[in-house]
Amino acid sequence: MPTTGNTASAGRGAIPDADTGSGSGTGAGPSWTALRHLRHLLDLLDQGAPAEQFAPPAALARGPHPDGPDAAVVAEATRVALRICRTLGQHRRREAELAALFDTAGDLARLRDLDAVLKAIVHRAKLLLGTDVTYLSLNDDEAGDTYMRVTDGSVSAAFQQVRLGMGEGLGGLVASTARPYSTGDYRDDQRFRHTTTIDGAVTEEGLRAILGVPLRLGTRVIGVLYAADRTARAFTPDEVALLSSLADHAAIAIDSARLLEETRSALVDLNEASRTIEAHSDAMRRAADAHDRLTDLVLRGADIADVATAIGTVLQGGTLIHDAHGTELARSGTDSGQPAVLAVAASRTGGRAVSADGTWVCAVLAGPELLGSIALTGRPDLGDADRRLFERAAVVTALLLLQRRSVAEAEDRVRGELLGDLLTGAADPASLPARARRVGVHLDHPHAVFVLHSATAARQRLLAAAARVAHSRKGLAGLHHDDVVLVLPAEHTGPGPGPGAGVGPGPRVGVGPGAASLAGELGQVLAGPVTVGAAGPVTGPGRFPDAHAEALRCRTALRALGREGDGAALGDLGFLGVLLGDQTDLGGYVRRTLGPVLDYDAKRGTELVHTLQTYFDEGTSRSRAAEALHVHVNTVVQRLDRIGRLLGRDWQRPERALELQLALRVHRVQWPDDSAALPPV
């Protein structure tokens, strides 16, 4: 076909005819149309056009020689261009895959959030493979199945929460065999074990073509990465390889996250261990310092009150120490109170401090023997370190109590031997004062003797309480013929300021008030009645046996009279005391009984004593007494009223009236000439 010599415009530039510049359908070279198509093929390759655009031009197919040389050249060029197009497509796809893998590797290098990395991998798999849905499941070794972890493109809630047993469905088969599997149409593929749960989830999501590849760490499968379409199709080996590469990256991400988490956990554990070691070291230092402080107190001879104060200071709380009988020994920073019996028993059994209503209690033990207890108040949140420190304080307290007991036992033996020798009179009287001075007792001063009895408290508890009284008042206490006996200086036997504060100074003329006060004090300490018989005061070792016998008779009389819990001397028991006494002080008896009436008659010259005697002689009849006295009955009434004001309102009670009649008879016998005479003081 003849052409002009001008250039023709085709594609991006003009293509001249061969040799002479004119195109021809015949001749040695290709025609202008063929050359133009060749240039068009190059443009398509440059533009990255799809393969369907690489068809030969229609002019060649309609020409006079469709099978001529130009058509052959164009066909060959088109085939070459298609091959180049496919090669370029593969290169571009490979480049995209490599870029995706490179980005994934970058994500792994910046790994902070495992979920974010897994979502990025699943999303890239969806973009690269061009599937409708991609998702990833992880194996649960404890449950023996695999569960959905991340999805992209899924719309079904049931599908996103499905769990596959090992060997069930496509994913379960991949997880159990560690091999990739694919299916063009899952619903009709019988190679897999179908279950109602899995098939229902796949149907609800609308999936048909599914590809699954294992996530492997060495030889262990930890999960499955999937790509799926909602239309039936086959997956190429390139797609399987690409998804496998992404699965390898996902496995690395999971393992890296696990190692990172283990590292973080190890660092946390290490920091916690460091803090624990530091706290333990501080606790050990505090415990050692506290133990040294408490031990030093014991070695320096500190008393139990100093130890209680030190314990409270170290543990920043109040301290209360009791002995084995529940008697308070010392306290610091807290109020008095009884020990929690159940808590002490629990601590004794378990060997540890126990908490009872916000108060910590620890038994003080010497082996299996209970020496007492310590209570710590104000520290309900006591930690383990302070709890061990509290228990160590109990050990130190036990050492102090044992030391005190050893000293007390040795001293009690000396005091007990001295007391026994005093009360029996068997030892040389000349040696007793010197022995007594060695234990702080001065026998050249007046002393009173007390015999004690308690029907509710054990004898050893009564003895311990008496020993504390003797120790505080420079006296002696001990057992003598199975009775608890207490010897105190006479200046410490009068009424005092109250129980627990010590008996204060009192008159030496009698020990009855001191006995009553002592009975009240010991009764409060032992929480039960204590009966005290008293005698004295006496001076000199030789008079103690008689004083003890008198105090014992008084104690016996008090119990016989039903006066348990009372304290008195024989002189306080009226005529019964006179009868029981070895040396009957009749004048003293008359003076104690009728003294106010005798004094009144002596000062005013009245006849109240004679009126009282006549009143009793006439059977307590006012009218007969008036006749015997030759006075008006009103005069007798007035005199009896005066007597009542002098003797007290109860003077006519039978027991008091008996005392008065006996005193009147003694007075009439001893002073027959002067009925109003005063008995000597």
Side-chain angles (χ1 to χ4, degrees), residues 3 90 101 128 151 268 287 293 345 412 416 494 542:
T3 63
Q90 292 173 352
L101 295 175
L128 291 177
T151 64
V268 170
R293 180 176 179 179
D412 287 346

Side-chain angles (χ1 to χ4, degrees), residues 325-336:
H325 304 295
T327 303
E328 180 181 311
L329 300 179
R331 59 186 169 92
S332 174
T334 187
D335 297 330
S336 295

Side-chain angles (χ1 to χ4, degrees), residues 82-438:
L82 287 172
R83 286 200 305 272
I84 295 174
C85 178
R86 286 193 296 271
T87 301
L88 291 176
Q90 292 173 352
H91 289 170
R92 282 193 293 271
R93 185 171 63 253
R94 186 59 178 165
E95 182 180 359
E97 294 172 357
L98 292 175
L101 295 175
F102 180 78
D103 290 342
T104 302
D107 289 342
L108 294 177
R110 298 185 299 273
L111 178 63
R112 292 295 182 270
D113 185 353
L114 176 61
D115 285 338
V117 174
L118 294 181
K119 288 178 180 178
I121 291 174
V122 171
H123 183 65
R124 290 192 184 108
K126 183 174 181 292
L127 294 178
L128 291 177
L129 273 69
T131 55
D132 297 324
V133 182
T134 51
Y135 49 99
L136 181 146
S137 66
L138 293 179
N139 291 357
D140 187 340
D141 294 333
E142 293 184 3
D145 60 8
T146 180
Y147 63 95
M148 204 69 70
R149 175 68 182 272
V150 181
T151 64
D152 191 342
S154 173
V155 296
S156 169
F159 182 79
Q160 295 169 14
Q161 300 174 5
V162 72
R163 298 183 74 100
L164 295 78
M166 291 298 178
E168 295 179 354
L170 183 144
L173 187 60
V174 173
S176 62
T177 62
R179 296 174 55 189
Y181 280 90
S182 66
T183 177
D185 192 344
Y186 177 77
R187 290 177 295 183
D188 298 331
D189 197 331
Q190 299 304 314
R191 292 177 300 162
F192 310 109
R193 188 197 309 170
H194 291 263
T195 66
T196 302
T197 301
I198 299 173
D199 288 356
V202 171
T203 300
E204 184 174 323
E205 189 65 52
L207 301 181
R208 299 188 67 182
I210 303 175
L211 168 63
V213 297
L215 302 175
R216 280 187 291 238
L217 287 176
T219 59
R220 186 167 65 94
V221 177
I222 63 173
V224 180
L225 179 62
Y226 305 85
D229 274 325
R230 293 187 174 91
T231 58
R233 75 175 184 89
F235 288 94
T236 66
D238 289 342
E239 291 175 320
V240 175
L242 174 60
L243 195 62
S244 297
S245 298
L246 291 172
D248 291 339
H249 282 80
I252 294 173
I254 294 171
D255 191 48
S256 299
R258 178 185 61 79
L259 294 175
L260 182 60
E261 182 62 29
E262 290 179 354
T263 301
R264 289 173 178 168
S265 179
L267 288 175
V268 170
D269 293 342
L270 183 61
N271 291 334
E272 184 65 26
S274 178
R275 287 191 294 269
T276 301
I277 292 173
E278 184 177 355
H280 182 69
S281 179
D282 291 341
M284 292 294 291
R285 284 195 296 270
R286 286 185 62 228
D289 292 342
H291 187 270
D292 292 342
R293 180 176 179 179
L294 295 174
T295 304
D296 184 61
L297 287 175
V298 175
L299 295 178
R300 286 192 290 106
D303 59 20
I304 195 68
D306 295 328
V307 174
T309 301
I311 294 172
T313 301
V314 170
L315 294 175
Q316 300 177 348
T319 310
L320 191 61
I321 301 178
H322 293 89
D323 65 11
H325 304 295
T327 303
E328 180 181 311
L329 300 179
R331 59 186 169 92
S332 174
T334 187
D335 297 330
S336 295
Q338 293 298 318
V341 178
L342 295 179
V344 174
S347 176
R348 181 181 184 182
T349 301
R352 300 291 306 275
V354 298
S355 179
D357 298 328
T359 298
W360 285 89
V361 178
C362 188
V364 178
L365 302 173
E369 181 185 359
L370 179 66
L371 301 179
S373 65
I374 305 179
L376 180 67
T377 63
R379 287 295 307 277
D381 57 342
L382 198 66
D384 290 340
D386 284 346
R387 179 179 177 180
R388 289 191 293 271
L389 184 56
F390 182 46
E391 293 165 352
R392 182 172 294 187
V395 175
V396 175
T397 304
L399 293 175
L400 178 60
L401 293 181
L402 285 175
Q403 182 187 62
R404 288 185 58 188
R405 187 171 72 178
S406 298
V407 173
E409 287 175 350
E411 185 174 322
D412 287 346
R413 282 195 297 271
V414 174
R415 289 174 174 269
E417 292 172 357
L418 174 61
L419 181 65
D421 291 342
L422 276 176
L423 300 183
T424 59
D428 180 11
S431 66
L432 292 178
R435 290 171 56 190
R437 282 194 296 271
R438 285 196 289 269

